[in-house]
Amino acid sequence: MTEAVIIGVGLHPFGRFPGRTALDMGADAVRMALADAGVTWPRIQGGYIGSYEVANPDAIVARLGLTGVPLRGVFNGCATAGTAIALAARAIETGEHDLTVAIGLDKHPRGAFAADPSVAGIPSWYGQTGLFLTTHFFGMKINRYMHEHGVSHETLARVASKNFGNAAANDKAWRRTPLSVEEILASPVLNYPLRQYMYCGPNEGAAAVVLCRADQAHKYTGKPVRVRSTALRSRRLGAFEVQSPSFPVGEPVGSPTVAASRAAYELAGIGPEDVDVAQLQDTDAGSEVIHMAENGLCKDGEQERLIAEDATAIGGRLPVNTDGGLLGNGEPIGASGLRQIHEIVLQLRGTAGTRQIPGAPRVGYTHLYGAPGASAVTILST
């Protein structure tokens, strides 16, 4: 099977952009990715585009050129971008196309995501008790995890402070003001134990990635980034997941993140010990802590020591969310995962500027998690 490689990335800044549509931002991101790859839009043979707010994101072709390109819409909650890049890579691997694009874009209103629980197949009482509010769910989830594995409030604040600090060095991030551990711990509690500055926020932005056959990469770049593996898994019966109205009794059921991670490592032929830099879904500070273990990067409970030792900082043993993550960038759902890919590509190329991790990283890891319990993992390498 032919290998797919990334030859171009583009990222529209994340934040708030009055007067700009999601499609406008998406078109900008695609143009940046095409310029980075040295490819023109008419040469793209196929693509996948994801959005939560835009009903027909394939309408972006009106801004890029009406070439007849098959551009398929995808959606998997917060794992949307993981699906888009997986399908764009698969189209190359199977020989369907030689040049493809993955695109993500969104423009969310202010405030937490809200909807009728019935759209997720959940009874009305679930919403009436407040459990359909994602901030409530993530508060309960990390509260239980902290109790079981000895994770402190200070560790949550350290994660948030790290990510805001990383975002300060990222000119495309939304929240670029560094915050100390003390400032974060002093902010109001929203859903115990999570405080105001421990949550990400919905916002606006777009990202795009251009891929090609590995044996043709030399035509475009001297530093292609290999797509070593992609994996997507949904929740299993009994798992405690976002928008799940039940709690497992007896032996705990593993998160879809655990399954997706294991599958991705196996497909890539590597293990967690080979990862040099990671982007993990940090919907809140607690999620980053939990996802470190669920992705095999440490054992449950080891996060307390690792984070205290700055192991996940840019100069640490395993840098996590070097661009600020969701906490620093916010989350336009369709684009968020491709932002992660953009950052990993920069790190593997050695072009991340002041955010560049030391040495010569070879393996990068991205992870997404979203409603109603879906996880996507992508492993990249030089």
Side-chain angles (χ1 to χ4, degrees):
M1 191 161 60
T2 302
E3 185 178 44
V5 297
I6 294 170
I7 57 171
V9 290
L11 181 67
H12 183 285
F14 282 20
R16 295 285 175 198
F17 305 96
R20 298 221 73 202
T21 69
L23 290 174
D24 289 335
M25 292 184 279
D28 282 353
V30 174
R31 293 185 189 106
M32 288 182 233
L34 291 171
D36 187 40
V39 173
T40 58
W41 174 249
R43 297 187 62 186
I44 298 297
Q45 299 170 357
Y48 298 84
I49 182 167
S51 179
Y52 178 72
E53 301 288 351
V54 181
N56 58 330
D58 55 303
I60 197 172
V61 296
R63 289 161 170 80
L64 296 170
L66 301 177
T67 62
V69 62
L71 191 59
R72 303 164 179 91
V74 299
F75 186 70
N76 267 113
C78 296
T80 291
T83 304
I85 194 161
L87 293 174
R90 195 62 46 81
I92 289 171
E93 292 166 352
T94 59
E96 182 180 5
H97 299 307
D98 293 339
L99 275 167
T100 61
V101 65
I103 311 168
L105 50 91
D106 255 314
K107 189 178 178 77
H108 302 303
R110 288 175 170 81
F113 293 113
D116 184 335
S118 65
V119 303
I122 297 173
S124 60
W125 64 260
Y126 190 69
Q128 292 164 2
T129 58
L131 292 175
F132 198 61
L133 189 65
T134 54
T135 54
H136 191 164
F137 168 81
F138 287 114
M140 290 192 303
K141 186 174 183 179
I142 188 58
N143 192 38
R144 180 171 183 259
Y145 193 88
M146 291 168 72
H147 172 74
E148 291 185 342
H149 300 292
V151 175
S152 67
H153 293 263
E154 183 175 350
T155 289
L156 301 185
R158 283 179 176 273
V159 167
S161 180
K162 167 184 68 73
N163 289 357
F164 289 131
N166 291 348
N170 179 4
D171 61 1
K172 295 194 175 184
W174 183 29
R175 295 172 169 171
R176 300 187 60 202
T177 302
L179 292 172
S180 68
V181 170
E182 292 73 24
E183 288 174 312
I184 292 166
L185 288 173
S187 65
V189 173
L190 297 187
N191 287 101
Y192 186 86
L194 296 173
R195 298 175 176 272
Q196 178 182 355
Y197 297 130
M198 294 179 180
Y199 281 106
C200 80
N203 64 347
E204 308 168 13
V209 176
V210 176
L211 304 92
C212 79
R213 292 167 52 106
D215 60 359
Q216 297 182 5
H218 66 279
K219 299 178 183 179
Y220 312 106
T221 178
K223 290 188 176 181
V225 172
R226 301 169 61 193
V227 181
R228 293 288 293 273
S229 66
T230 63
L232 175 73
R233 294 292 186 273
S234 59
R235 69 195 187 280
R236 295 171 57 205
L237 179 64
F240 181 47
E241 306 297 339
V242 63
Q243 297 182 2
S244 172
S246 62
F247 191 81
V249 176
E251 288 296 317
V253 177
S255 163
T257 293
V258 176
S261 179
R262 288 174 177 169
Y265 284 130
E266 183 175 354
L267 286 168
I270 65 171
E273 66 280 1
D274 298 309
V275 174
D276 296 311
V277 57
Q279 293 279 100
L280 304 181
Q281 179 92 14
D282 57 321
T283 309
D284 59 277
S287 290
E288 180 172 319
V289 171
I290 294 172
H291 292 148
M292 286 174 63
E294 288 185 343
N295 286 282
L297 302 174
C298 69
K299 294 180 180 178
D300 290 313
E302 288 185 347
Q303 301 96 323
E304 185 77 4
R305 173 182 58 82
L306 292 173
I307 291 168
E309 295 174 352
D310 289 331
T312 58
I314 285 176
R317 177 174 61 81
L318 180 62
V320 174
N321 291 331
T322 49
D323 66 347
L326 277 77
L327 289 173
N329 287 277
E331 185 178 28
I333 283 179
S336 189
L338 293 181
R339 170 193 56 78
Q340 292 183 332
I341 298 291
H342 178 274
E343 177 67 9
I344 293 297
V345 168
L346 295 189
Q347 291 288 347
L348 296 184
R349 287 176 175 174
T351 59
T354 57
R355 302 192 311 278
Q356 183 63 48
I357 69 172
R362 295 185 61 253
V363 176
Y365 186 100
T366 73
H367 157 261
L368 298 163
Y369 170 86
S375 287
V377 170
T378 304
I379 298 178
L380 307 178
S381 75
T382 55

